[in-house]
């Protein structure tokens, strides 16, 4: 069966028949994904396979496959659509690593470090082109949906880069950026799976809305794990966001809730405003954050998004795929205890 451990799911969360369908679908996706990144030029193939071969959760393809269970999961467009969303996701990772000056991705040297920024950017562009080639066979509605999703991905990245305006609520701004940068492609994954499997319009709408909400919830869980985890459960060393200067929800909540007259809060704000590439300062900031009310506030926000995602599923028929999606919503919240 597909490895759903990274999402907090256990074997008992999946019906045996559904697990078999997903396993077959994942194998087809992997084969087509590797075929799709081939080029006539060996170096282009090598650079494009760099992140494909590094693995990853394949969350977006799995969302396509699960959503397709509400129609005909064997419909011809389902597997290509799953590959499209993964290629799109991988392309954004190549670009993100350049913008973030990252050195590692999925346990391997990032493409920009292994080669250079130009190769990483152009490889990302190549993957977008390959996704478009597959899309061309899925019809104009799929092409239009992908274009709108790409628009949201770019808008979210720009808004994150520019930051909140002076009159913006910083937490609302952050959540809206997550909706664009993370939620939009997962929403499109649900929509592709339902739409291309021939599910009815109501199911298409539900699975789209679920995808966006679970995407935001999953990112909020990662935000919390980066602060609260002692072992890097999120796949990153704890405090990575702090080191990179990324202000995620726990930090934004700390800034909102901090009392400058309290010595601990004053010290935390001082650390957050300073250089957290220093290991000792970062560990001190993590310790103060872990004991702060900001963590509970961030957990409540995660719970709200996870509960909302689960509730969205209510109109769907009671089939194994619905129960798996409900379990996914529950597991996303459980990831942070």
């Amino acid at each position: 069966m597909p490895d759903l451990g990274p999402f907090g799911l256990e074997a008992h969360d999946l019906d045996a028949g559904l697990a078999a369908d997903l396993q077959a679908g994942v194998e087809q996706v992997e084969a087509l994904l590797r075929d799709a990144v081939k080029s006539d030029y060996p170096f282009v193939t090598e650079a494009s396979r760099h992140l494909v071969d590094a693995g990853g959760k394949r969350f977006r393809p799995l969302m396509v496959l699960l959503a397709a269970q509400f129609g005909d999961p064997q419909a011809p467009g389902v597997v290509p659509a799953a590959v499209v969303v993964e290629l799109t996701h991988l392309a954004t990772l190549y670009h993100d690593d350049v913008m973030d000056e990252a050195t590692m991705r999925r346990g391997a040297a990032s493409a920009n470090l292994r080669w250079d920024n130009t190769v990483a950017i152009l490889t990302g562009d190549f993957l977008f082109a390959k996704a478009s080639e597959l899309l061309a066979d899925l019809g104009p509605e799929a092409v239009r949906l992908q274009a709108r999703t790409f628009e949201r991905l770019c808008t979210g990245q720009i808004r994150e880069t520019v930051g909140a305006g002076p009159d913006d609520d910083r937490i609302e701004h952050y959540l809206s950026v997550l909706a664009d940068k993370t939620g939009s492609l997962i929403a499109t994954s649900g929509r592709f799976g339902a739409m291309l499997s021939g599910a009815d319009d109501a199911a298409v709408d539900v699975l789209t809305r679920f995808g966006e909400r679970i995407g935001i919830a999953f990112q909020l869980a990662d935000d919390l794990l980066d602060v609260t985890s002692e072992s890097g459960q999120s796949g990153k060393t704890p405090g990575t966001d702090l080191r990179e200067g990324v202000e995620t929800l726990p930090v934004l909540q700390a800034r909102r809730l901090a009392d400058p007259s309290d010595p601990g809060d004053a010290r935390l704000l001082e650390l957050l405003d300073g250089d957290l590439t220093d290991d000792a300062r970062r560990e001190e900031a993590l310790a103060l954050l872990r004991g702060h009310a900001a963590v509970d506030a961030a957990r409540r926000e995660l719970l709200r998004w996870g509960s909302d995602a689960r509730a969205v599923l209510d109109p769907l028929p009671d089939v194994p795929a619905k129960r798996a999606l409900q379990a996914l919503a529950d597991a996303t919240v459980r990831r942070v205890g």
Side-chain angles (χ1 to χ4, degrees):
M1 63 176 287
D3 179 14
L4 293 175
F7 313 118
L9 291 180
E10 307 291 343
H12 60 73
D13 290 320
L14 287 181
D15 168 88
L18 174 61
D21 279 355
L22 291 178
Q23 181 63 53
V26 165
E27 290 172 1
Q28 292 176 62
V29 167
E30 289 295 323
L32 182 55
L33 182 61
R34 280 167 170 72
D35 187 63
V37 298
K38 288 180 182 175
S39 167
D40 293 337
Y41 300 96
F43 177 78
V44 176
T45 301
E46 179 187 2
S48 299
R49 281 187 170 171
H50 181 65
L51 287 185
V52 172
D53 291 344
K57 300 182 184 76
R58 302 290 195 255
F59 186 29
R60 292 151 190 84
L62 274 168
M63 267 299 301
V64 175
L65 298 175
L66 276 167
Q69 292 289 320
F70 295 90
D72 175 8
Q74 306 303 321
V78 170
V79 168
V83 173
V84 165
V85 294
E86 186 65 8
L87 286 172
T88 302
H89 175 56
L90 291 173
T92 66
L93 296 184
Y94 280 91
H95 288 180
D96 283 352
D97 286 346
V98 172
M99 288 184 287
D100 298 340
E101 299 180 349
T103 58
M104 296 290 290
R105 171 67 70 176
R106 295 181 173 177
S110 59
N112 49 300
L113 180 67
R114 179 172 175 180
W115 294 290
D116 58 32
N117 284 348
T118 301
V119 168
I121 291 168
L122 291 173
T123 302
D125 293 344
F126 177 79
L127 296 184
F128 281 130
K130 287 295 188 177
S132 297
E133 185 178 0
L134 286 171
L135 269 168
D137 293 328
L138 300 181
E141 186 176 359
V143 173
R144 187 177 299 110
L145 174 58
Q146 175 76 352
R148 289 173 177 166
T149 305
F150 192 42
E151 176 187 354
R152 289 190 65 189
L153 290 169
C154 294
T155 299
Q157 185 61 64
I158 292 168
R159 294 182 68 223
E160 180 182 65
T161 302
V162 172
D167 298 324
D168 292 336
D169 180 287
R170 294 181 69 184
I171 291 177
E172 289 181 7
H173 175 269
Y174 180 69
L175 291 172
S176 68
V177 166
L178 288 192
D180 285 339
K181 277 196 64 180
T182 303
S184 66
L185 187 56
I186 299 174
T188 292
S189 301
R191 192 170 194 86
F192 269 148
M195 181 178 79
L196 294 169
S197 69
D200 62 46
D201 290 344
V204 171
D205 178 64
V206 164
L207 291 159
T208 302
R209 290 188 288 124
F210 173 81
E212 180 138 346
R213 284 157 178 77
I214 202 64
I216 294 171
F218 206 86
Q219 185 58 56
L220 292 177
D222 273 359
D223 289 356
L224 275 160
L225 285 171
D226 191 63
V227 170
T228 62
S229 169
E230 297 286 353
S231 58
Q233 294 163 258
S234 65
K236 301 185 296 185
T237 302
T240 296
D241 292 328
L242 290 175
R243 186 181 68 244
E244 295 177 353
V246 178
E247 296 210 338
T248 59
L249 186 60
V251 170
L252 294 173
Q253 290 285 12
R255 290 193 180 279
R256 172 177 284 183
L257 298 172
D259 177 0
S261 66
D262 178 274
D265 282 6
R267 177 57 176 164
L268 176 56
L269 291 173
E270 178 188 353
L271 289 166
L272 294 177
D273 289 335
D275 179 13
L276 290 177
T277 59
D278 177 80
D279 290 347
R281 288 173 60 87
R282 187 171 63 256
E283 285 303 318
E284 184 182 357
L286 278 173
L288 288 169
L289 271 173
R290 286 167 181 160
H292 201 278
V295 168
D296 286 336
R299 276 199 180 97
R300 287 194 297 273
E301 189 67 22
L302 165 62
L303 179 61
R304 182 173 76 86
W305 283 98
S307 298
D308 192 21
R310 198 184 204 285
V312 161
L313 297 169
D314 286 350
L316 293 177
D318 187 20
V319 296
K322 177 182 179 178
R323 294 191 288 275
L325 292 170
Q326 289 171 329
L328 178 60
D330 295 340
T332 299
V333 175
R334 284 200 310 269
R335 290 174 69 217
V336 295

